[in-house]
Amino acid sequence: MVQPVIAFQDPLGQLPPQASTFAGDVDELFYFLVWVSLASFGLILALLVYSSIAHRRKTPDQPALSNTTHNTTLEVVWTLIPTVVVMLAFAWGLKGNLDQQVAPADALQYRVEAFKWGWNFYHPGATTASEHIYVPVDKPVKFTMTSRDVLHSFYVPAMRAKRDVVPGVKQIVWFQPTVENGPLLDAAGQPQTDAFGNLIGGFDLFCSEYCGDGHSVMHRKVYVVSQEQFDEKPWDLLPEDPVGRGEFYYKLNCVACHSVDGSRLVGPSFLGLVGREGRHTDGNAYTADEAYIRESIRKPMAKVVEGYAPVMPEFTEAQLSDEAVGDILEWLKTLK
Amino acid sequence: MTTYVPDIEKAPEAGSRKEPSYLDVTKGFWSWAGTLDHKRIGLMYLVGVTAAFLCGGILALLIRLHLWTPDGAIFENAVYNQVFTLHGVFMVFIFIIPAIPASLGNFVLPLMLGAPDVALPRLNLASFYLWLTGTIMAIYSILSGAVDTGWTFYTPYSLQTQQAVVSMGLAVFTLGFSSIFTGLNFIVTIHKMRARGQTWFKLPLFCWAIYATSVLQVLATPVLGITVLLLAFEHLYHIGIFDPAHGGDPVLFQHFFWFYSHPAVYIMILPAMGVISEVVTVHSRKPLFGYKLLAFSSISIAVISFLVWGHHMFTSGESEFVMLAFSFLTMLVAIPTAIKEFSWVATIWGGSVALTAPMLYAIAFLIIFAIGGLTGVFLGTLSVDIHLHDTYFVVAHFHAVMMGSTALAFFAGVHHWWPKMFGRMYNETLAKISAILILVGFNVTFLPQFAMGSQGMPRRYATYIPEWQIYHQWSTVGAVILGIGFALMLGYLIHSLFAGRKAAANEWGGVTMDWESPTPPNLYNFDEEPVVTGELYDYGHGAKH
Ligand SMILES: [Cu+2]
Ligand SMILES: [Cu+2]
């Protein structure tokens, strides 16, 4: 491994926390480039400012001080220095990237499904998806990702890891977390939120490839926990009671498009949905009974609510079991 | 030869001209709409692209105002997506690609060659009308349901969205042909219309830059045309080329798209570099430093730019070898680019530097272009790009290159050739104020974006987490400063048309042939056919080599 002699420090203090084995190397290279940039930018700026003051035209017919248009030494120098710098950056960046490409064989295997607009994370051995990711500290973890619809991109800034999720192919991303950062739970075991309603603890996970209206709400957390905590399967949060399970499935799959407070998102609000009367784009009036809601989930394109775009994705058995749909129904009945 | 000092008192009177100027020779709507004169076509483009810049700029301000609060201050997410898409389409396809070649290039190139017009005047007019048609089609797409795909039209999103992607694609197709026609015309013009005695190495650098650009336009734009056509066919008939649901490959679209759109970056920046070369030499009254190297670096940038498109897709699952190659080639582009920057600085160094309005715009260009170029190296570096890709760092980087460099060079050129175009001067004090406002506004807008991008703020977000609010607010403040700078510019330029003082025949003391024509030029430019005998960029005391 090439270890640079100088450790490049953070002159501006702006990279996210370093939480994976990649971060150190990437950041050092980043700061190397920052220093090179500041130096060459400073030089250019100084020369520009100096000559526009010192060599400025004071009388209208003042000729130039010098008419030199050529200086081989100078030109060789300013060709060679940038060449050396960019080749260094190239080689260093390539090396770091090779590490990012190949996951170790013993990495824990996760499965990820991205969709408009959310993520389903399947932890090793799990059959139900989770809303957030839990990983054990100091263990390599590998995510095999697919998309149900359009391009998305799996991005965890603190891990310096990013990979596009492309429909029709399996994409792989991996990292090895180095810093514990679990969820902050209250006495009842519920995750706490800050003044803005954001979860406390964990590293941010974003979708970084534009995917439409809910692109910016595909924000989730990567919780890094100790091996002991990990062994307790903290991701296994499926509640016992049907109503609780229904809400869980809602948060996992529907939250980007349906509100529970009556406000209009991409789709109609779930508040007071059960038994609500409405009209479809074909002009027919309907009442939202259980059968209708089941059909809306399995075949959303069959009947489209008036005033909304036909963009709701189909949820198949594999993505949302019949029992899960039943749970959602139980929970929907409580939203009045 | 003695040093030229512009003599405002002796500005030519209308009566003293041998022939009326191209502005006076005929009057009326059709004398413009049907004109074959390269200068009038250039001016029509100038008006057109400025209007497009105005629209795109207003959209940019709306974007920035929306992002004042984390939840988005103005629009629903869906509308925000349409707004940033339109901003991109207007600025890229309608404003910045034609801006310098089609407006300044059209006006100045034949003058610099000592030619009466471009080689193919009818093609030139056709190109303008294609541009106009494309623009009208783009506006139609907006009215008939808008587009929310981003200016990149990535599949399969662009195939699934309900909106007017097909008509917008056809608009881009049409605009592409306008660009090809212009490029073709300029290539022929430079080959065939040079003055007697004007060898290739006596071509002003602006001509070299336009030449390199034109080659790119002719070779790369057809790929864009094919790509948007395929996109339209996929949308309408599901031919299964880009859509995974029909056996297509969405990443193929990205390859096609960037095969054009990376060279397009150089279609934008190369002419800008040409403008800066001219402005810097004239206002420093000094021959360009390293002329041949500057000329060849334009050509080498143009050639390499065909081989780097994959650097837009480092996170899409390219193989390691492909990444290696694209990263390496991308780094190569940095070298001629650095050479150019240093050559300009060396040209100013030891010159007789006049801090005129065009020169201030050029200096602002040199500063921002340095930022854009340096941050480009970050993005060409593989492991760092994985982190920065699709964040605000990229947004800030390409605005530094497109807006802070190309648009500023365009305005430097407009200020530089304005007296030649209209025979009138603008208020230089206001012009200097606006140049400074724009330089400051640019940095206040985009430096915070570099910062939040390196922290991980993804691009194209209608809402964001509150940690980044302070950066977004600074950025919005900067955008408002930029807006004021540009509004001021528009004001004094329009004022100058009606009430500006008469410009001198050679306002800045330029020594290329564009300054030898009467001001404003005759219909066929020169009183007598010019012949090139002396050195290029000879300011009267001989160039030392
Ligand atoms: Cu997204
Ligand atoms: Cu590129």
Side-chain angles (χ1 to χ4, degrees):
Chain A
M1 199 184 199
V2 194
Q3 277 302 336
V5 198
I6 331 158
F8 293 98
Q9 298 292 308
D10 178 346
L12 307 171
Q14 83 284 39
L15 286 180
Q18 298 186 341
S20 77
T21 49
F22 303 143
D25 183 61
V26 170
D27 291 10
E28 206 156 320
L29 178 47
F30 181 90
Y31 293 126
F32 164 73
L33 291 173
V34 169
W35 281 114
V36 169
S37 301
L38 288 177
S40 34
F41 182 70
L43 178 73
I44 290 169
L45 197 63
L47 292 174
L48 276 177
V49 169
Y50 179 82
S51 62
S52 24
I53 294 170
H55 307 149
R56 93 181 166 279
R57 192 179 300 172
K58 295 183 193 89
T59 56
D61 55 356
Q62 175 182 324
L65 287 174
S66 113
N67 261 351
T68 314
T69 58
H70 205 59
N71 180 328
T72 311
T73 325
L74 205 57
E75 285 170 67
V76 168
V77 167
W78 77 40
T79 308
L80 278 186
I81 293 182
T83 308
V84 170
V85 169
V86 295
M87 284 306 126
L88 201 73
F90 160 71
W92 190 346
L94 177 69
K95 207 212 126 271
N97 185 247
L98 287 181
D99 294 342
Q100 292 170 334
Q101 295 303 311
V102 199
D106 63 341
L108 281 175
Q109 307 268 354
Y110 291 67
R111 198 158 62 74
V112 176
E113 248 181 67
F115 57 94
K116 289 195 291 196
W117 289 285
W119 304 90
N120 279 354
F121 303 115
Y122 292 88
H123 287 76
T127 47
T128 10
S130 326
E131 197 188 349
H132 301 288
I133 299 180
Y134 293 79
V135 291
V137 69
D138 292 329
K139 290 273 156 51
V141 288
K142 172 179 162 183
F143 302 84
T144 306
M145 308 185 288
T146 50
S147 165
R148 284 185 207 157
D149 36 51
V150 298
L151 299 172
H152 300 276
S153 189
F154 178 100
Y155 178 32
V156 189
M159 305 297 169
R160 312 289 186 273
K162 180 183 291 135
R163 188 60 163 241
D164 294 357
V165 188
V166 181
V169 261
K170 284 190 175 140
Q171 291 277 56
I172 291 187
V173 67
W174 82 279
F175 54 80
Q176 178 168 332
T178 52
V179 182
E180 265 186 52
N181 188 359
L184 188 72
L185 302 178
D186 61 14
Q190 289 302 311
Q192 303 235 48
T193 54
D194 63 15
F196 303 106
N198 291 323
L199 292 167
I200 304 178
F203 296 110
D204 294 310
L205 180 155
F206 298 109
C207 174
S208 62
E209 181 63 67
Y210 175 68
C211 55
D213 298 357
H215 176 42
S216 61
V217 302
M218 290 177 69
H219 173 205
R220 299 291 184 271
K221 290 282 183 171
V222 175
Y223 294 120
V224 184
V225 295
S226 68
Q227 185 67 48
E228 296 81 68
Q229 286 169 303
F230 188 77
D231 291 337
E232 286 166 24
K233 305 196 173 175
W235 62 85
D236 196 2
L237 293 170
L238 197 63
E240 296 289 310
D241 62 310
V243 172
R245 280 203 302 268
E247 186 180 5
F248 175 87
Y249 290 125
Y250 160 75
K251 282 194 182 151
L252 201 55
N253 297 301
C254 330
V255 67
C257 303
H258 295 284
S259 79
V260 290
D261 60 2
S263 64
R264 178 195 166 110
L265 298 178
V266 178
S269 178
F270 281 167
L271 187 70
L273 170 66
V274 182
R276 186 159 71 201
E277 290 178 0
R279 194 178 287 281
H280 286 133
T281 41
D282 57 11
N284 293 336
Y286 71 95
T287 310
D289 55 21
E290 279 199 25
Y292 167 76
I293 291 176
R294 277 183 191 277
E295 187 196 7
S296 291
I297 296 172
R298 292 280 184 240
K299 289 202 175 55
M301 289 309 113
K303 294 176 182 135
V304 174
V305 185
E306 200 173 66
Y308 291 89
V311 293
M312 172 156 162
E314 263 182 33
F315 289 88
T316 61
E317 267 275 9
Q319 292 155 355
L320 205 63
S321 65
D322 278 341
E323 296 82 74
V325 173
D327 294 337
I328 292 179
L329 270 167
E330 289 311 306
W331 167 74
L332 282 174
K333 287 180 196 154
T334 66
L335 301 174
K336 292 200 186 83
Chain B
M1 207 195 237
T2 51
T3 308
Y4 183 84
V5 183
D7 189 342
I8 291 156
E9 298 300 303
K10 274 198 249 143
E13 291 297 311
S16 73
R17 303 180 60 105
K18 290 193 188 149
E19 289 175 35
S21 83
Y22 77 102
L23 293 169
D24 299 327
V25 63
T26 47
K27 299 265 172 208
F29 178 77
W30 288 110
S31 79
W32 283 84
T35 185
L36 296 180
D37 177 15
H38 68 100
K39 297 178 291 302
R40 287 194 171 191
I41 295 175
L43 289 195
M44 294 198 292
Y45 264 118
L46 185 65
V47 172
V49 297
T50 308
F53 180 73
L54 202 67
C55 296
I58 290 169
L59 293 167
L61 266 180
L62 288 175
I63 292 175
R64 286 308 331 156
L65 291 174
H66 174 80
L67 294 173
W68 184 260
T69 57
D71 289 336
I74 307 183
F75 306 113
E76 278 181 25
N77 292 6
V79 179
Y80 175 81
N81 295 341
Q82 297 169 357
V83 171
F84 82 68
T85 301
L86 292 183
H87 165 72
V89 169
F90 261 83
M91 286 304 203
V92 173
F93 293 112
I94 303 179
F95 167 63
I96 212 160
I97 289 181
I100 298 181
S103 70
L104 297 178
N106 244 321
F107 194 96
V108 177
L109 182 74
L111 291 174
M112 281 189 164
L113 301 177
D117 206 318
V118 292
L120 308 162
R122 288 195 168 75
L123 192 67
N124 203 14
L125 187 64
S127 148
F128 174 76
Y129 280 107
L130 278 180
W131 176 86
L132 197 63
T133 314
T135 305
I136 292 170
M137 286 164 77
I139 295 171
Y140 165 81
S141 320
I142 300 167
L143 300 179
S144 73
V147 182
D148 69 345
T149 58
W151 75 280
T152 47
F153 302 111
Y154 270 18
T155 53
Y157 186 80
S158 55
L159 299 169
Q160 292 176 11
T161 181
Q162 299 302 311
Q163 305 182 344
V165 175
V166 172
S167 60
M168 191 56 106
L170 294 179
V172 169
F173 182 82
T174 313
L175 289 166
F177 265 93
S178 155
S179 180
I180 294 173
F181 282 8
T182 306
L184 204 63
N185 209 344
F186 288 171
I187 293 177
V188 180
T189 305
I190 294 174
H191 273 277
K192 291 290 172 196
M193 306 282 284
R194 299 197 308 279
R196 269 188 292 144
Q198 190 174 43
T199 56
W200 282 87
F201 287 117
K202 285 187 180 171
L203 278 181
L205 278 170
F206 182 68
C207 304
W208 275 100
I210 290 288
Y211 188 78
T213 310
S214 303
V215 172
L216 286 182
Q217 283 176 311
V218 170
L219 293 182
T221 318
V223 180
L224 175 73
I226 295 164
T227 310
V228 291
L229 271 195
L230 285 175
L231 183 69
F233 282 141
E234 181 76 295
H235 212 287
L236 296 170
Y237 309 119
H238 308 295
I239 54 177
I241 176 156
F242 300 136
D243 190 351
H246 298 95
D249 179 359
V251 179
L252 182 67
F253 177 84
Q254 299 177 23
H255 281 288
F256 282 6
F257 182 81
W258 289 111
F259 189 83
Y260 165 76
S261 293
H262 186 85
V265 174
Y266 294 91
I267 292 178
M268 303 170 202
I269 197 70
L270 282 171
M273 293 167 161
V275 169
I276 294 304
S277 295
E278 299 304 326
V279 172
V280 160
T281 161
V282 171
H283 298 265
S284 310
R285 197 171 279 167
K286 196 175 153 228
L288 272 159
F289 193 97
Y291 167 86
K292 280 198 181 166
L293 219 53
L294 277 168
F296 285 131
S297 59
S298 284
I299 303 295
S300 61
I301 288 176
V303 172
I304 306 173
S305 76
F306 272 105
L307 304 171
V308 300
W309 78 90
H311 65 203
H312 296 270
M313 301 156 59
F314 285 150
T315 61
S316 72
E318 288 175 334
S319 81
E320 283 144 38
F321 182 74
V322 168
M323 285 206 241
L324 177 154
F326 280 125
S327 170
F328 180 79
L329 291 162
T330 301
M331 291 302 186
L332 288 188
V333 185
I335 300 164
T337 309
I339 292 176
K340 278 183 179 282
E341 176 86 15
F342 289 128
S343 302
W344 290 318
V345 174
T347 305
I348 297 177
W349 185 266
S352 166
V353 183
L355 293 179
T356 55
M359 188 63 164
L360 284 186
Y361 277 101
I363 290 177
F365 167 97
L366 291 177
I367 293 173
I368 301 176
F369 184 65
I371 299 178
L374 288 164
T375 50
V377 176
F378 286 67
L379 298 172
T381 304
L382 280 173
S383 63
V384 175
D385 181 66
I386 301 295
H387 174 55
L388 297 176
H389 179 71
D390 269 337
T391 67
Y392 264 67
F393 193 95
V394 176
V395 174
H397 160 72
F398 73 71
H399 279 88
V401 178
M402 294 185 177
M403 195 257 138
S405 303
T406 307
L408 275 194
F410 170 65
F411 291 119
V414 168
H415 284 79
H416 182 69
W417 282 296
W418 187 269
K420 176 60 58 185
M421 290 174 169
F422 299 105
R424 288 186 185 274
M425 268 299 285
Y426 40 84
N427 181 328
E428 260 214 281
T429 315
L430 290 182
K432 289 175 187 173
I433 293 174
S434 104
I436 292 167
L437 278 177
I438 290 170
L439 176 64
V440 171
F442 180 88
N443 286 302
V444 177
T445 309
F446 291 105
L447 293 184
Q449 298 194 7
F450 281 117
M452 68 180 140
S454 29
Q455 287 184 6
M457 163 86 207
R459 64 191 285 204
R460 296 176 167 175
Y461 264 28
T463 61
Y464 55 88
I465 58 175
E467 279 87 331
W468 286 316
Q469 184 171 20
I470 184 71
Y471 297 101
H472 276 294
Q473 292 190 335
W474 272 110
S475 190
T476 303
V477 170
V480 172
I481 300 177
L482 272 175
I484 295 171
F486 284 121
L488 182 63
M489 182 200 293
L490 196 66
Y492 67 70
L493 286 182
I494 291 177
H495 175 263
S496 136
L497 286 181
F498 300 102
R501 75 157 163 82
K502 271 228 152 58
N506 186 349
E507 182 70 31
W508 317 112
V511 291
T512 42
M513 261 187 288
D514 42 329
W515 298 103
E516 275 174 33
S517 65
T519 295
N522 301 336
L523 176 59
Y524 294 113
N525 296 341
F526 298 91
D527 287 334
E528 288 139 36
E529 192 196 325
V531 181
V532 177
T533 46
E535 291 274 317
L536 180 64
Y537 299 127
D538 181 356
Y539 291 89
H541 22 248
K544 255 195 297 177
H545 289 277

